[in-house]
Amino acid sequence: MIVGAGPGGLAAALLLAKSGVKVTVVEKHGKVGGRTSTLELAGFKFDVGPTFFLYPTVLREIFSAVGYDLDKEVPMKRLDPHYRLVFGAGGELLATPNVERMERAIAAISPEDALQFRQFLTRNRAKLAKFMPFLQAPFESWRALAKPEMIKLLPLLAPWRSLDRDLQVHFKDERIRLGFSFQSKYLGMSPFQCPSLFTILSFLEYEHGVFHPTGGCGAVTRAMGRMARDLGVEILLDEPVERVLIENGHAIGVKTANRTLRGDAVVVNADFAGAMQRMVPNRLRNKWTDQRLEKKQYSCSTFMMYLGIDGLYDNVSHHTIYLAENYRHNLRDIEEMHRLSEDPSFYVQNAGVTDPTLAPEGRSTLYVLLPVTHETRNVDWAKETPRYRELALKQLEKIGIQDVKRRIRTEKILTPVGWASEFGLYRGATFSMAHSLRQMLHLRPHNRFEDIGRMYLVGGGTHPGSGLPVIFESARITSRLLLEDLQMEAQWDSERETISTSQLVEAAS
């Protein structure tokens, strides 16, 4: 039984079904994908959440393991440039996977830093290769940290340094460092707080590419849903789960709004904190009580605008990131003061320059994201939404998007309140628990849930963490643990190990 048809739940369904498990997926929405689904408005199509598709290697392995070819099922285009960075403090950077062109782009801002780009790539290639086995393994106690292999990694991982501090080894200009650290927002964190391990995020972009699936990232989960059904998985839509059924400390099924469903194990693919409070009584949670959940650190949220517009902004990149002039102040507003910034950073996807399938002829889509604080008493979104909409539209002028208000033909706005109500996100935190050192590895909720027997977790709220590639990896970890407990063999595991080992050897060399 899998609660939730998000990317992690669907990946787990594929792997378990391939191994001979009878799988039922229960999803509260009328379509698969969760936050990685497609929003359709008056003929316009938007990704609800993720728009960057990174490191397809993990999903390619999963597709191959269950008998499919990712590149045939979901055509993708590798973007070049990846994105355009606009610095409020002055200057621009077109991020490209071409090393020579990237060096020239960096040199236009900071000639000294351009000389360090290749060293950054070399160092992070080694970091990723050496840490990858730990990302692929469960961390069920502190003892996993005491392994000799992990201890040897400490000088390279430098967990005592922040992401920004680690980048100072290579880059002196803060704008360049922001260009290699804004990716910490994929985790909902500031680069000045995020652990240094996550320099591997920007490295992944340059080493393995930034991709756009035709039809958006929602096309990926639609394909996974179709494949799951082909493998015999039953997917029940419009079926919200009210609670997990627990007897003698073990999960034995779920109670939905319509029926009772029983099974040998339950996998929860939903926002962890929100799901626990809704689905598992507090008295049955020894470690992850409501009180402990309340004390955890949560990621930022996002103020979203999905705009269907007349025409196309041909001169605006597929992805554009604007980094506020006082970026540190903007982050402090979000993470510490929990208030709205008056000069917010923002991200825009102008996918029509790459993918005409997302809008009616002669029209296109704009996906506008402003990182904001998660739900807090300091912000009344019923009052602030109209004002922040106007501010967001004004901000777009800073990246060359003019006259947008007149061209809007349809729109939807999603605030932290909407993320909480529509998707069950605790405090509307779009990236779940923050990825601080106190909330990583064995300190994050375990894939084999500690408090309830035969209950498992998958998705961004559990180990290894947020982001599509990591969520897919969590599905492999969780599926392997569940099969081990059922005394069944993972039919796909030997192939995964062969592929991954060969890749790691190649990367390290």
Side-chain angles (χ1 to χ4, degrees), residues 139 141-151:
F139 269 71
S141 80
W142 62 268
R143 293 179 182 85
L145 292 177
K147 293 180 179 179
E149 310 95 287
M150 189 68 174
I151 294 172

Side-chain angles (χ1 to χ4, degrees), residues 44 307-313 350 352 359-360 362-366 407:
F44 295 89
L307 306 177
I309 63 168
D310 274 337
L312 175 65
Y313 288 98
N350 179 36
R363 295 182 171 179
S364 60
T365 60
L366 289 178
R407 295 170 61 175

Side-chain angles (χ1 to χ4, degrees), residues 159-213:
W160 50 87
R161 288 204 296 255
S162 70
L163 176 51
D164 178 74
R165 184 75 176 172
D166 194 67
L167 286 172
Q168 291 179 30
V169 173
H170 304 287
F171 307 120
K172 305 306 178 187
D173 192 297
E174 184 171 68
R175 291 169 297 176
I176 300 302
R177 294 201 303 276
L178 288 177
F180 288 89
S181 65
F182 78 88
Q183 295 85 354
S184 63
K185 277 300 169 194
Y186 301 163
L187 310 174
M189 290 192 71
S190 157
F192 309 108
Q193 302 294 329
C194 190
S196 64
L197 162 68
F198 293 106
T199 55
I200 62 176
L201 291 176
S202 56
F203 165 76
L204 283 174
E205 295 176 347
Y206 294 99
E207 186 84 346
H208 296 280
V210 174
F211 293 83
H212 174 77

Side-chain angles (χ1 to χ4, degrees), residues 202-358:
S202 56
F203 165 76
L204 283 174
E205 295 176 347
Y206 294 99
E207 186 84 346
H208 296 280
V210 174
F211 293 83
H212 174 77
T214 301
C217 289
V220 175
T221 52
R222 286 197 299 276
M224 294 173 73
R226 172 177 49 77
M227 291 159 49
R229 290 186 177 98
D230 289 346
L231 289 171
V233 175
E234 181 181 21
I235 300 178
L236 304 177
L237 301 177
D238 294 310
E239 192 93 25
V241 171
E242 295 179 344
R243 68 178 188 273
V244 176
L245 300 176
I246 300 167
E247 287 185 2
N248 300 319
H250 288 75
I252 61 165
V254 298
K255 173 70 172 64
T256 77
N258 303 317
R259 68 190 101 182
T260 295
L261 299 165
R262 294 183 176 267
D264 294 321
V266 174
V267 178
V268 176
N269 174 217
D271 178 70
F272 174 70
M276 289 303 102
Q277 293 193 332
R278 290 192 309 275
M279 300 179 192
V280 180
N282 190 44
R283 60 184 172 79
L284 297 181
R285 287 181 269 121
N286 297 319
K287 181 178 180 181
W288 293 100
T289 62
D290 290 349
Q291 293 76 12
R292 185 174 184 190
L293 290 173
E294 176 70 24
K295 293 177 182 177
K296 288 297 178 180
Q297 180 187 0
Y298 292 88
S299 78
C300 69
S301 186
T302 58
F303 178 86
M304 299 295 313
M305 298 176 67
Y306 306 94
L307 306 177
I309 63 168
D310 274 337
L312 175 65
Y313 288 98
D314 296 285
N315 296 322
V316 176
S317 295
H318 183 111
H319 297 300
T320 304
I321 298 99
Y322 171 81
L323 298 165
E325 181 176 1
N326 193 332
Y327 191 64
R328 290 175 183 262
H329 183 77
N330 181 203
L331 293 175
R332 189 161 55 249
D333 283 343
I334 295 170
E335 298 186 342
E336 298 176 23
M337 307 305 294
H338 298 290
R339 64 190 180 192
L340 298 181
S341 295
E342 295 309 310
D343 178 27
S345 301
F346 62 91
Y347 157 71
V348 174
Q349 183 202 41
N350 179 36
V353 295
T354 300
D355 186 353
T357 71
L358 300 174

